[in-house]
């Protein structure tokens, strides 16, 4: 699936998809492994929420985010203090079911701490580790130009440079206590008896925005 903001790019992408499908079918029709759906729209529009968050039955979403050099950070806000595109993408990721994976070219700080990071803080404060501590794992990888069957002399990782680049892989984790596998986090503030043990939902169901404060004490994640 793909959602393109610019109309001209959406038109070109759709045309390329049609031509690519024709070439694949001409070479070996049985080698198609799925469908590609490209749409023209704005990811901030609620009409695309299900398109971006819900996998086909039995499947898991796999997301690539080209936010290199913070291009979807503060430069992408619609108002001076409004949410960035990275914030919206973090909310979309939080809405996905456990098993979803996301690769980004810039770290997604709005997600908060990973489960390992949150549990490390809990242990430092004498609290038991918990699956509710956070809803995702995070790891940094290095993408290196290398040979492929279709490019035996090597192929660049990105079109704008030939060097290795760092990327971040996030996986939506399950095993949390909220109904329907909803993403959750626990408060790590000292003295927040309720928030240390009772989960806060990561996503506001009405606004589809990230919840960044404990619902019990108001402490930031």
């Amino acid at each position: 699936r793909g959602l393109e903001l610019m109309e001209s790019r959406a038109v070109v992408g759709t045309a390329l998809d049609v031509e690519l499908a024709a070439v694949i079918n001409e070479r070996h029709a049985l080698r198609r492994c799925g469908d590609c759906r490209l749409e023209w729209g704005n990811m901030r529009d609620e009409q695309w929420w299900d398109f971006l968050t819900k996998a086909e039955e039995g499947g898991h979403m796999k997301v690539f985010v080209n936010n290199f050099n913070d291009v979807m950070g503060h430069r992408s806000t619609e108002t001076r203090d409004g949410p960035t595109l990275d914030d919206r993408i973090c909310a979309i990721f939080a809405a996905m079911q456990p098993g979803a994976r996301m690769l980004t070219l810039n770290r997604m700080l709005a997600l908060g701490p990973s489960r390992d990071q949150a549990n490390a803080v809990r242990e430092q404060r004498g609290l038991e580790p918990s699956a509710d501590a956070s809803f995702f794992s995070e790891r940094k990888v290095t993408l290196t130009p290398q040979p492929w069957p279709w490019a035996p002399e090597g192929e660049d990782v990105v079109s704008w440079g030939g060097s290795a680049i760092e990327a971040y892989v996030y996986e939506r984790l399950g095993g949390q206590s909220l109904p329907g596998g909803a993403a959750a986090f626990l408060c790590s503030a000292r003295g927040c008896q309720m928030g240390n043990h009772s989960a806060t939902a990561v996503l506001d169901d009405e606004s589809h925005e990230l919840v960044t404060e404990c619902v019990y004490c108001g402490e930031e994640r």
Side-chain angles (χ1 to χ4, degrees):
R1 303 175 191 180
L3 189 65
E4 172 56 54
L5 178 63
M6 303 298 291
E7 181 180 10
S8 58
R9 291 181 180 178
V11 171
V12 171
T14 300
L16 286 173
D17 179 53
V18 171
E19 293 300 320
L20 181 60
V23 171
I24 292 174
N25 286 328
E26 183 178 317
R27 290 175 62 88
H28 199 308
L30 296 180
R31 299 189 71 172
R32 289 187 62 81
C33 59
D35 295 319
C36 181
R37 181 181 167 193
L38 303 176
E39 298 286 354
W40 169 37
N42 188 332
M43 75 168 74
R44 299 182 195 270
D45 292 343
E46 286 298 309
Q47 65 172 310
W48 299 110
W49 183 256
D50 287 352
F51 175 72
L52 294 171
T53 61
K54 297 187 183 302
E56 297 293 335
E57 185 175 354
H60 299 290
M61 297 292 279
K62 298 176 180 64
V63 183
F64 170 69
V65 181
N66 182 1
N67 58 348
F68 186 75
N69 201 28
D70 202 30
V71 70
M72 296 187 183
H74 293 295
R75 290 180 287 168
S76 69
T77 58
E78 292 184 328
T79 60
R80 182 175 180 179
D81 298 317
T84 67
L85 286 177
D86 275 349
D87 292 337
R88 179 64 169 179
I89 292 166
C90 287
I92 288 169
F93 176 69
M96 295 177 186
Q97 287 296 303
R101 285 182 289 174
M102 176 172 70
L103 184 145
T104 72
L105 302 184
N106 201 62
R107 195 173 177 204
M108 306 299 272
L109 296 176
L111 289 175
S114 69
R115 184 173 293 180
D116 285 347
Q117 293 165 340
N119 275 325
V121 172
R122 289 178 64 81
E123 290 190 71
Q124 290 172 2
R125 297 181 177 177
L127 299 168
E128 290 291 323
S130 171
D132 276 342
S134 184
F135 63 101
F136 69 94
S137 65
E138 175 189 5
R139 60 189 174 94
K140 184 165 69 173
V141 298
T142 300
L143 306 179
T144 306
Q146 57 185 305
W148 296 98
W150 59 86
E153 296 183 3
E155 183 173 70
D156 293 339
V157 176
V158 292
S159 61
W160 59 86
S163 303
I165 62 172
E166 291 182 342
Y168 300 86
V169 180
Y170 299 90
E171 182 169 354
R172 181 76 168 76
L173 301 178
Q176 298 195 292
S177 64
L178 295 184
F185 69 91
L186 291 175
C187 182
S188 61
R190 289 186 173 91
C192 183
Q193 296 298 321
M194 287 296 293
N196 288 165
H197 304 285
S198 299
T200 293
V202 171
L203 201 63
D204 184 292
D205 289 335
E206 294 184 1
S207 68
H208 289 160
E209 292 182 355
L210 291 173
V211 175
T212 60
E213 299 176 348
C214 171
V215 294
Y216 302 102
C217 74
E219 182 79 9
E220 287 279 344
R221 290 189 67 190

